[in-house]
Amino acid sequence: MLANLLPNVQWETMWAATVETLYMTGMAVAATFVLGVVLGLLLFLTAKGNLWENRLANTVIAAFVNIFRSIPFIILIILLIPFTKWLVGTMLGANAALPALIIGAAPFYARMVEIALREIDKGVIEAAQAMGASTWTIIWKVLLPESLPALVSGITVTAVSLVGYTAMAGVVGAGGLGNLAYLEGFQRSHNDVTFVATVLVLVIVFVIQWIGDIVTSKIDKR
Amino acid sequence: MITLEQVTKVYQAANGAVTAVDNVSLEIREGEIFGIIGYSGAGKSSLIRLLNGLEKPTSGRVIVAGRDMARVKGRELRNARQEIGMIFQHFNLLWSRTVRENIAFPLEIAGVPREERQKRVDELIQLVGLTGREEAYPSQLSGGQKQRVGIARALANNPKVLLCDEATSALDPQTTDAILDLLVDINKRLGLTIVLITHEMHVIRKICDRVAVMESGKIVEQGDVLHVFRNPQQPITKRFVKQLVEPEETEEAVSHLFGHYPNGVIAQLTFVGAAAGQPLITQVVRQFAVDVNILQGKISQTHQGAYGVLFVHIDGAADEIGRALDYIQDQQVAVEVIHDAR
Ligand SMILES: Nc1ncnc2c1ncn2[C@@H]1O[C@H](COP(=O)(O)OP(=O)(O)OP(=O)(O)O)[C@@H](O)[C@H]1O
Ligand SMILES: [Mg+2]
């Protein structure tokens, strides 16, 4: 029955592509989270009136973030080809997509982190200072816990975009559902393959959003 | 305990320099409750923030518990701050932590081991009357309860000084009184020095031993609360004192009554210290051929004695009224005739 409706779908290949997409997304989300939080913290802390106020550092980081956030992803992949080849050794496969995915998403997420940190009541930071907290204590025990719901909902949004990015990366050879849809579905005109790949991408996106929403509402005690 | 010597704080803002604290010298004694009152923008917050090094003075010395807060840095500054508790107008609790975890926070900073932390937090919860709310999050507490958490948190490391920046300004009158009672209780029990800033005379009246009045960065008047109440020198101090004993509606209410009393005088009697209103009125009625009606009155209990105002209508022969007024004045009560129909 299913085989009649979807004559060209090979389920093992489809499954392998799904796993690849999940792998790329998972790795990229993890790295983006770490890098984005670090960059976001630096952006926040070096801003005017904050703990590490430093005009030069702030300008440099902000410029870096803005530039990489503005480059369209597909162009970023092409720009990063030499870097990726040097780092991963090839342009094919899931790992080759990671540098572009992370460099594309981390600055985007860093801005969200910065906004989340700016939402924290200045008075709370001041109270911690008044108690004699060091900057590290403030980062670990005030800034990150107090902004956690926003950090989680931000990474959820970022993860959803990353699923889309992996599909784009797939077109240029990185594997995953995007790659399958392009090679099998589009180039060989197997619309059923494209259809199934699309449904799977949607399912992944919905699951990510669903998990993100649950976690956010669990940790938000405001 | 706290000494300020010619302290000035200048902020460099985009549109020029702002002198928030202007050559202030102050001496705050160990164990007293010292109030600083002033209108918005007077520089009160800037002044109190100098005491725990949240701001550095542009010039002058700020000595708290033997340390010059203007000069200590790094670890020494952080250690000094652990001996100075602070509570805030908007409580500044961490919403991601429960009551218990909020109170434990300064203990974590001080490196107190977990077990001891638990014990200390339990003590503090009891001290501030929050038993039963330990596991609540700040968003589930009322303003008064939040401030109790703030106080417990500020006391966690057994500070020598407690700074209160408008600690009751976000609370309703009943809650304000409860929090002020708690502060007095802590002051008595722990012998803690308390510095509080406020724009409400009521707070000064209720708990302070001494008061300083601040205007445009300067301390324009200071002294024992009762003394300042009795002899306010500066116009701003007079305004504050007036706000306390003579709410605007009282004056209005009394002026409405002028029509009802075609004869005699309406006078405002201001009591300071021990002299209480009722016995004096009895004396006047006994000794002089006058009738006395109390129209309005407000006697407040300060930390050091009674203070208040009575509006009275005195009727009788003109010279008899005069003698009665002189007599009242002799009893250390200030008399002001506000409506004369003799
Ligand atoms: N960080 C700052 N930078 C520049 N100017 C400041 C800064 N903090 C305070 N000021 C200015 O210093 C003056 C005193 O402010 P401060 O906050 O000490 O007053 P306040 O008496 O506490 O007022 P309020 O009752 O409104 O809290 C004000 O004119 C204010 O604008
Ligand atoms: Mg203030």
Side-chain angles (χ1 to χ4, degrees), chain A residues 15-169:
Chain A
W15 176 245
T18 307
V19 169
E20 256 177 348
T21 292
L22 287 175
Y23 170 80
M24 283 190 283
T25 309
M27 294 297 278
V29 166
T32 297
F33 182 77
V34 174
L35 203 62
V37 166
V38 170
L39 281 174
L41 272 170
L42 285 173
L43 270 176
F44 174 75
L45 290 168
T46 57
K48 197 166 156 28
N50 284 330
L51 292 163
W52 291 342
E53 180 171 343
N54 184 326
R55 189 116 178 239
L56 181 69
N58 191 263
T59 313
V60 170
I61 301 166
F64 173 84
V65 163
N66 281 339
I67 289 170
F68 280 95
R69 207 164 49 125
S70 317
I71 301 176
F73 183 66
I74 198 80
I75 295 174
L76 188 67
I77 295 177
I78 296 164
L79 286 177
L80 284 176
I81 286 176
F83 174 71
T84 307
K85 276 197 169 144
W86 169 79
L87 193 72
V88 190
T90 170
M91 275 313 291
L92 295 178
N95 282 328
L98 290 178
L101 289 174
I102 295 162
I103 292 173
F108 177 71
Y109 184 52
R111 275 292 177 204
M112 291 198 225
V113 172
E114 190 207 1
I115 291 168
L117 294 172
R118 267 193 285 171
E119 291 283 298
I120 299 173
D121 185 358
K122 276 260 183 331
V124 175
I125 299 169
E126 195 170 286
Q129 281 180 293
M131 286 177 229
S134 64
T135 304
W136 281 116
T137 308
I138 292 177
I139 291 173
W140 282 112
K141 299 205 166 184
V142 180
L143 297 182
L144 295 180
E146 291 285 294
S147 62
L148 200 56
L151 297 188
V152 171
S153 67
I155 201 66
T156 308
V157 173
T158 310
V160 168
S161 329
L162 273 169
V163 175
Y165 285 179
T166 62
M168 264 193 261

Side-chain angles (χ1 to χ4, degrees), chain B residues 242-255:
Chain B
K242 197 169 168 186
Q243 171 197 101
L244 180 63
V245 293
E246 189 189 310
E248 259 136 60
E249 70 269 26
T250 305
E251 229 175 41
E252 246 174 52
V254 171
S255 64

